[in-house]
């Protein structure tokens, strides 16, 4: 460890989000390039910096700062330089010169202790003198706050957020109730707040800790798809995490309820606990859906005549249920159409579009993901958007209600019909936002496969709407002849019906390669993805998707991604790499966004780098390729579908993970030319019919199962799905 003392000559680069800074330090007549996390440093300041010299591949020798402190400049030149650097707003070089000329070495003391004396200088009024004092004082306050927070292991990036949120109140909050940080400051969750509390000497059974822990458990539950938890389950989980008794948890539930942080209800004779926001989400979603469900007078004879005309013009032959779907779409404000692969959902959508067009109605098409919207456009010839785009997502903070979408109750969508595809993927958040933007009098048609896995986000929207029996539901069951020629579709329906599939028969579009050792399966997967399948299905290596039920283990996402990265995008001197925790990203890697981020900006550029289109928002499950890793700017650029490029600061790389292999859950709404699925052993909860069905229906041209035929048979027999706690169907029957 070395120590440098010097003047900050020039700040080359500063990242506001994480405090990462590149600066030139004048040290004993030499200019030294320094890098490090320094949120509060200005040109003209003297600093004491500790760190080590490193050799950068591109930028040469640098001093990497691990810690630093500001030192008061002592000579007149340095004092003047600092005051005139822009660190204090309203004081430029000329005014700084006059202050130093008047007060010499006492300039700082005068600003701090006798600011009114600054008014003795020409050009400084009493008000200006106070502003200079305030600026000087704030800088010192923030530095003190940074030093105070660092004692509690808080990073500079979080320290800046905390100071901006609380100002001087932060000292009392840290000492009395650091758990408040988890509620007020984005990015600080319960775990970090708990660590700060432990360092601050807060007791394990503190009321604040238990309350915060309960909210944390409910938040974790929402990340697993639940909207609420049964009281008993909540008490057990909170007691486990907090290492306290269930009685201690129970004592806090009533107080949380009184403070309206949680809502306690009875569902199916069982007491359950909602985080307050989720209760009101489900309740308002139920009310808005019921308000949309208007009945329209439509002549059955005229409708049938219209359908006959569409069949003749489009050269299609609709079965009875498809015709029923078109008629019911015309008659009802809310309609659900559900069916498995090959049952003609797309044909039905096309017939409905033509029907409404003939009626002179305006139609909007949307889907939850970019890939699903693109498929919808290709299948209908009618422009489809993502739901987020249709609702005109803005870059406002996610935590501010209503700031995410321009389309809402005050600014609804101006259309007559809205058709949403892949409804099984829509969670309660997105459903609520969508309904806010739809006026009664607009028809809402929801299309999806209810047998697929539910949404990644919380809620079970499609299933709950169907189970409520409050709306018309058309179930398409007939598998069309053309579809039945596909082994993928044939086997998907067999799986869904609980019938065994014949894995002895190998067809070009569906086959099983039997292997009984994890290492053998890994080798076969690499050969299939890298060598065999791209040629067979006419797709690139990155288009072939490995789907697995698990994250952990030899055949889980984490292990397979490391292996596939090694073989599909091996280490190369020409490719830059960035380590982030236990992940390694390399230029050319296939990656996935693993949480919704409504603020990240994207742009689409032409081949010369000129922006063609800009927007905001990247979503859980979006896939892309790492195009550039820039160590100087501390950021990584990823290109997603449709050429959308997003630049991530290194501090945000925890929102990405490798995607050569992904869980079946994460594949929803996507289609791939070929799917490779390793199946050997694993938890019964994950190795079920629903998982297998969803994985198989993601493939367009080929499904390759690698592993044990017994495991496949067991999955088909296992109907046990992961229980998902949601109450929308209950509230639909009560509002």
């Amino acid at each position: 460890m070395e120590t440098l003392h010097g003047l900050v000559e020039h700040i080359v680069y500063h990242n506001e989000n994480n405090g990462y800074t590149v600066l030139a330090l004048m040290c004993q007549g030499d200019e030294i390039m320094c890098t490090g996390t320094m949120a509060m440093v200005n040109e003209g300041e003297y600093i004491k910096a500790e760190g080590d010299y490193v050799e950068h591949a591109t930028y040469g020798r640098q001093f990497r700062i691990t810690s630093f402190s500001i030192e008061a400049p002592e000579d007149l030149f340095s004092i003047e330089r600092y005051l005139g650097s822009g660190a204090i707003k309203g004081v430029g070089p000329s005014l700084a010169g006059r202050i130093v000329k008047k007060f010499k070495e006492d300039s700082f003391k005068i600003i701090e202790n006798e600011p009114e004396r600054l008014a003795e200088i020409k050009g400084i009024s009493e008000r200006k003198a106070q502003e200079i004092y305030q600026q000087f004082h704030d800088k010192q306050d923030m530095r003190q706050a940074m030093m105070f927070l660092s004692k509690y292991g808080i990073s500079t990036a979080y320290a800046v957020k905390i100071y901006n949120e609380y100002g001087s109140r932060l000292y009392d909050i840290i000492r009395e109730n650091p758990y408040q940080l988890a509620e007020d400051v984005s990015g600080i969750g319960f775990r970090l707040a708990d660590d700060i509390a432990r360092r601050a000497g807060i007791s394990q059974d503190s009321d604040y800790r238990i309350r915060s822990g309960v909210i944390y458990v409910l938040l974790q539950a929402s990340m697993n798809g639940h909207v609420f938890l049964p009281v008993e389950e909540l008490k057990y989980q909170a007691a486990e995490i907090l290492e306290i008794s269930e009685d201690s948890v129970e004592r806090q539930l009533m107080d949380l309820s009184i403070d309206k942080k949680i809502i306690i209800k009875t569902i199916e004779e069982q007491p359950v606990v909602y985080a307050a926001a989720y209760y009101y989400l489900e309740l308002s979603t139920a009310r808005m859906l019921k308000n949309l469900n208007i009945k329209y007078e439509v002549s059955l004879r005229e409708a049938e005549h219209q359908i006959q005309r569409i069949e003749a013009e489009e050269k299609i032959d609709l079965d009875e249920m498809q015709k029923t779907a078109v008629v019911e779409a015309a008659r009802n404000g809310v309609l659900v159409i559900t069916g498995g692969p090959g049952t003609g959902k797309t044909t039905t959508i096309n017939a409905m579009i033509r029907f409404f067009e003939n009626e002179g109605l305006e139609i909007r098409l949307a889907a939850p993901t970019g890939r699903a919207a693109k498929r919808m456009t290709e299948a209908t010839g009618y422009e489809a958007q993502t739901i987020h785009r249709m609702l005109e997502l803005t870059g406002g903070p996610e935590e501010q209600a209503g700031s995410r979408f321009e389309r809402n109750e005050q600014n609804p969508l101006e259309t007559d019909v809205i058709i949403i595809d892949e409804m099984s993927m829509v969670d309660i958040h997105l459903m609520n936002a969508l309904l806010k933007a739809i006026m009664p009098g607009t028809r809402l048609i929801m299309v999806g496969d209810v047998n697929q896995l539910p949404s990644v986000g919380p809620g079970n929207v499609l299933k709950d709407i169907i189970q409520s029996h409050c709306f018309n539901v058309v179930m398409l069951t007939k598998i069309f002849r053309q579809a039945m020629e596909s082994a993928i579709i044939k086997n998907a329906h067999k799986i869904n019906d609980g019938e065994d599939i014949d894995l002895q028969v190998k067809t070009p579009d569906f086959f099983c390669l039997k292997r009984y050792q994890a290492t053998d399966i890994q080798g076969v997967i690499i050969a299939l993805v890298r060598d065999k399948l791209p040629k067979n299905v006419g797709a690139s290596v990155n288009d072939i998707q490995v789907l697995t039920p698990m994250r952990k283990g030899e055949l889980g996402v984490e292990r397979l991604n490391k292996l596939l990265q090694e073989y599909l995008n091996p280490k190369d001197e020409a490719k830059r790499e960035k380590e982030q925790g236990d992940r390694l990203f390399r230029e050319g890697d296939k990656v996935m966004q693993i949480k919704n981020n409504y603020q990240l900006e994207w742009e689409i550029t032409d081949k010369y780098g000129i922006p063609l289109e800009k927007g905001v928002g990247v979503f859980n499950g979006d896939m892309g390729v790492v195009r550039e890793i820039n160590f100087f700017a501390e950021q990584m650029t990823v290109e997603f579908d449709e050429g959308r490029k997003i630049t991530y600061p290194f501090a945000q790389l925890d929102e990405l993970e490798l995607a050569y292999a992904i869980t079946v859950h994460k594949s929803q709404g996507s289609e791939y030319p070929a799917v490779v699925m390793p199946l050997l052993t694993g938890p019964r909860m994950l190795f079920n019919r629903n998982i297998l069905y969803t994985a198989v229906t993601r493939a367009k041209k080929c499904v390759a199962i690698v592993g044990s035929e017994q495991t496949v048979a067991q999955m088909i027999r296992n109907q046990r799905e992961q229980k998902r706690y949601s109450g929308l169907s209950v509230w639909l029957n009560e509002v």
Side-chain angles (χ1 to χ4, degrees):
M1 187 80 74
E2 294 190 51
T3 304
L4 298 181
H5 297 259
L7 175 81
V8 178
E9 182 78 18
H10 176 54
I11 292 176
V12 179
Y13 174 79
H14 178 72
N15 187 317
E16 289 289 340
N17 292 325
N18 58 19
Y20 178 78
T21 306
V22 180
L23 57 82
L25 191 70
M26 190 56 72
C27 186
Q28 296 178 342
D30 292 329
E31 190 177 86
I32 299 167
M33 292 307 291
C34 302
T35 64
T37 303
M38 295 170 277
M40 292 301 298
V41 70
N42 297 288
E43 290 178 2
E45 288 183 320
Y46 263 84
I47 64 170
K48 175 188 173 186
E50 292 182 332
D52 294 293
Y53 283 100
V54 293
E55 201 64 40
H56 194 282
T58 309
Y59 304 110
R61 196 169 189 243
Q62 297 177 338
F63 189 76
R64 188 178 289 161
I65 297 173
T66 51
S67 66
F68 79 103
S69 58
I70 308 290
E71 298 187 324
E74 292 173 357
D75 62 279
L76 294 183
F77 171 77
S78 300
I79 293 169
E80 186 178 330
R81 176 84 184 259
Y82 172 69
L83 289 174
S85 67
I88 298 169
K89 284 178 188 168
V91 180
S94 167
L95 195 52
R98 294 206 294 278
I99 294 170
V100 173
K101 191 176 177 183
K102 173 82 175 169
F103 299 115
K104 312 254 181 325
E105 286 88 353
D106 294 332
S107 297
F108 286 164
K109 286 180 190 169
I110 295 292
I111 294 171
E112 200 170 354
N113 303 318
E114 300 176 78
E116 64 280 358
R117 288 194 59 195
L118 293 171
E120 297 170 17
I121 297 166
K122 190 181 175 185
I124 300 182
S125 63
E126 285 184 17
R127 186 178 167 186
K128 178 96 170 173
Q130 278 304 311
E131 285 174 1
I132 292 170
Y133 161 75
Q134 200 59 53
Q135 283 275 322
F136 195 79
H137 193 261
D138 287 351
K139 292 269 181 217
Q140 286 191 321
D141 276 0
M142 190 162 190
R143 282 184 192 130
Q144 281 172 353
M146 297 284 161
M147 287 166 69
F148 172 79
L149 292 169
S150 70
K151 289 185 232 168
Y152 295 93
I154 299 169
S155 71
T156 308
Y158 283 135
V160 172
K161 284 185 177 181
I162 293 167
Y163 183 81
N164 289 339
E165 178 71 33
Y166 302 120
S168 59
R169 288 167 52 227
L170 70 87
Y171 301 99
D172 291 337
I173 286 164
I174 295 288
R175 291 186 188 110
E176 291 169 19
N177 178 21
Y179 296 99
Q180 198 173 326
L181 300 177
E183 289 184 41
D184 298 340
V185 182
S186 71
I188 296 185
F190 171 78
R191 293 288 191 195
L192 182 52
D194 201 35
D195 187 48
I196 296 164
R198 186 178 49 76
R199 295 177 190 229
I202 305 284
S203 70
Q204 193 166 338
D205 59 355
S206 150
D207 289 356
Y208 292 130
R209 182 171 185 263
I210 298 170
R211 288 185 203 184
S212 188
V214 168
I215 300 298
Y216 170 72
V217 169
L218 289 171
L219 179 67
Q220 290 299 111
S222 75
M223 291 169 77
N224 291 321
H226 305 299
V227 182
F228 61 76
L229 283 177
V231 167
E232 292 305 315
E233 200 162 321
L234 172 66
K235 284 184 341 194
Y236 172 76
Q237 287 189 29
E240 281 277 297
I241 286 168
L242 298 168
E243 296 177 342
I244 55 171
S245 70
E246 288 187 27
D247 288 345
S248 301
V249 176
E250 189 166 17
R251 281 196 289 273
Q252 296 303 323
L253 293 183
M254 195 46 68
D255 285 345
L256 281 165
S257 178
I258 291 165
D259 290 345
K260 294 196 165 45
K261 294 286 173 59
I262 63 170
I263 306 287
I264 302 172
K265 289 285 172 183
T266 300
I267 291 179
E268 294 171 359
E269 299 178 1
Q270 185 182 34
V272 305
V273 181
Y274 281 88
Y278 282 108
Y279 170 71
Y280 292 114
L281 266 176
E282 279 202 332
L283 202 61
S284 69
T285 298
R287 281 187 183 130
M288 290 188 289
L289 265 171
K290 292 294 279 289
N291 290 340
L292 281 182
N293 198 23
I294 298 167
K295 301 294 176 188
Y296 297 91
E297 288 294 322
V298 174
S299 160
L300 190 59
R301 215 162 91 195
E302 281 179 31
E304 285 173 349
H305 181 67
Q306 176 95 264
I307 290 167
Q308 283 172 3
R309 208 165 76 215
I310 292 165
E311 286 181 307
E313 286 171 2
E314 301 294 320
K315 297 182 175 60
I316 54 173
D317 188 15
L318 301 176
D319 80 338
E320 283 311 305
M321 290 314 288
Q322 288 176 311
K323 289 174 185 174
T324 301
V326 177
V327 173
E328 292 302 316
R331 283 180 162 179
N332 294 279
V334 176
L335 177 69
V336 176
I337 299 169
T338 183
T343 55
K345 293 192 295 292
T346 302
T347 306
T348 308
I349 292 172
N350 279 326
M352 285 190 300
I353 290 170
R354 303 298 167 249
F355 186 96
F356 289 127
E357 272 185 332
N358 293 344
E359 294 291 309
L361 300 182
E362 195 176 328
I363 309 152
R364 300 285 292 268
L365 306 186
T369 67
R371 288 189 174 201
K374 193 178 173 188
R375 280 209 322 274
M376 204 177 181
T377 301
E378 289 165 357
T380 62
Y382 211 97
E383 191 201 351
Q385 297 171 290
T386 63
I387 298 172
H388 293 90
R389 232 180 200 186
M390 182 173 73
L391 298 179
E392 296 174 21
L393 181 72
T394 63
E398 186 177 350
E399 49 276 13
Q400 287 178 18
S403 63
R404 279 189 268 163
F405 299 107
E406 289 291 320
R407 296 289 183 174
N408 48 39
E409 315 92 308
Q410 283 78 43
N411 182 26
L413 292 161
E414 292 164 13
T415 187
D416 300 301
V417 181
I418 294 171
I419 303 174
I420 307 290
D421 199 10
E422 294 285 0
M423 258 307 293
S424 61
M425 294 184 68
V426 176
D427 64 22
I428 193 70
H429 286 289
L430 191 54
M431 189 66 188
N432 191 265
L434 174 66
L435 292 171
K436 280 180 181 176
I438 303 177
M439 284 190 303
T442 304
R443 290 173 173 86
L444 174 63
I445 299 157
M446 296 170 280
V447 184
D449 183 350
V450 74
N451 293 309
Q452 279 189 33
L453 291 169
S455 57
V456 174
N460 210 350
V461 174
L462 181 62
K463 196 169 270 186
D464 278 356
I465 290 171
I466 293 170
Q467 284 178 353
S468 73
H469 302 294
C470 293
F471 309 96
N472 275 43
V473 177
V474 178
M475 216 159 270
L476 303 177
T477 53
K478 182 184 172 182
I479 306 166
F480 288 86
R481 185 178 54 79
Q482 198 178 344
M484 278 308 284
E485 289 170 8
S486 158
I488 297 172
I489 288 174
K490 214 176 331 186
N491 286 333
H493 282 278
K494 278 188 170 181
I495 292 165
N496 195 41
D497 294 337
E499 296 174 26
D500 281 331
I501 53 179
D502 190 352
L503 296 176
Q504 305 304 323
V505 178
K506 286 187 172 61
T507 61
D509 60 342
F510 200 110
F511 56 87
C512 176
L513 301 174
K514 293 166 194 171
R515 301 289 188 278
Y516 305 100
Q517 298 294 324
T519 49
D520 294 344
I521 293 171
Q522 290 168 354
V524 172
I525 289 170
I526 291 162
L528 282 169
V529 176
R530 187 182 62 184
D531 307 320
K532 304 249 172 73
L533 288 176
K535 286 181 285 194
N536 291 358
V537 298
S540 73
V541 170
N542 271 354
D543 288 331
I544 313 296
Q545 190 58 59
V546 178
L547 298 181
T548 171
M550 307 177 294
R551 288 200 61 82
K552 305 288 182 186
E554 285 298 292
L555 299 175
V557 163
E558 292 170 11
R559 176 70 181 132
L560 287 175
N561 268 320
K562 284 180 179 171
L563 270 175
L564 288 161
Q565 182 188 42
E566 190 183 326
Y567 284 93
L568 304 183
N569 188 30
K571 195 176 180 67
D572 188 318
E573 282 184 14
K575 294 175 184 174
R576 282 167 289 205
E577 298 177 351
K578 168 65 184 163
E579 238 176 298
Q580 185 74 11
D582 58 350
R583 298 169 192 164
L584 174 75
F585 296 109
R586 185 176 291 140
E587 288 174 344
D589 272 336
K590 182 179 174 182
V591 292
M592 175 187 272
Q593 177 77 14
I594 57 171
K595 60 166 79 164
N596 288 340
N597 188 323
Y598 301 96
Q599 292 162 284
L600 271 178
E601 296 177 0
W602 55 260
E603 65 175 21
I604 299 170
T605 59
D606 64 12
K607 60 180 180 181
Y608 304 107
I610 297 165
L612 301 172
E613 195 179 344
K614 291 187 176 186
V616 292
V618 60
F619 308 105
N620 193 348
D622 283 358
M623 280 196 186
V625 176
V626 177
R627 293 299 182 207
E628 186 190 20
I629 296 172
N630 186 328
F631 286 102
F632 186 72
E634 293 266 304
Q635 56 193 29
M636 184 166 94
T637 302
V638 178
E639 185 176 337
F640 289 94
D641 287 342
E642 299 164 356
R644 293 176 299 131
K645 286 182 184 166
I646 294 176
T647 298
Y648 291 79
F650 282 174
Q652 269 181 274
L653 293 186
D654 59 347
E655 294 187 14
L656 292 166
E657 65 181 26
L658 293 175
Y660 298 104
I662 63 173
T663 61
V664 179
H665 278 89
K666 291 283 190 183
S667 72
Q668 292 170 86
S670 294
E671 259 190 4
Y672 313 98
V675 162
V676 179
M677 200 177 183
L679 294 175
L680 192 57
T681 56
R684 261 185 73 77
M685 194 65 86
L686 291 175
F687 279 63
N688 61 45
R689 185 187 299 177
N690 204 204
I691 290 270
L692 184 61
Y693 174 78
T694 302
V696 166
T697 55
R698 299 306 88 212
K700 280 195 286 190
K701 295 181 180 177
C702 179
V703 172
I705 295 171
V706 188
S708 161
E709 66 274 37
Q710 280 86 16
T711 302
V712 176
Q714 283 163 9
M715 286 178 81
I716 294 170
R717 286 194 293 274
N718 179 15
Q719 288 192 71
R720 201 174 157 208
E721 294 172 34
Q722 282 182 295
K723 175 72 178 162
R724 179 167 284 210
Y725 297 114
S726 64
L728 182 60
S729 63
V730 175
W731 309 127
L732 280 166
N733 281 292
E734 289 197 7
V735 296

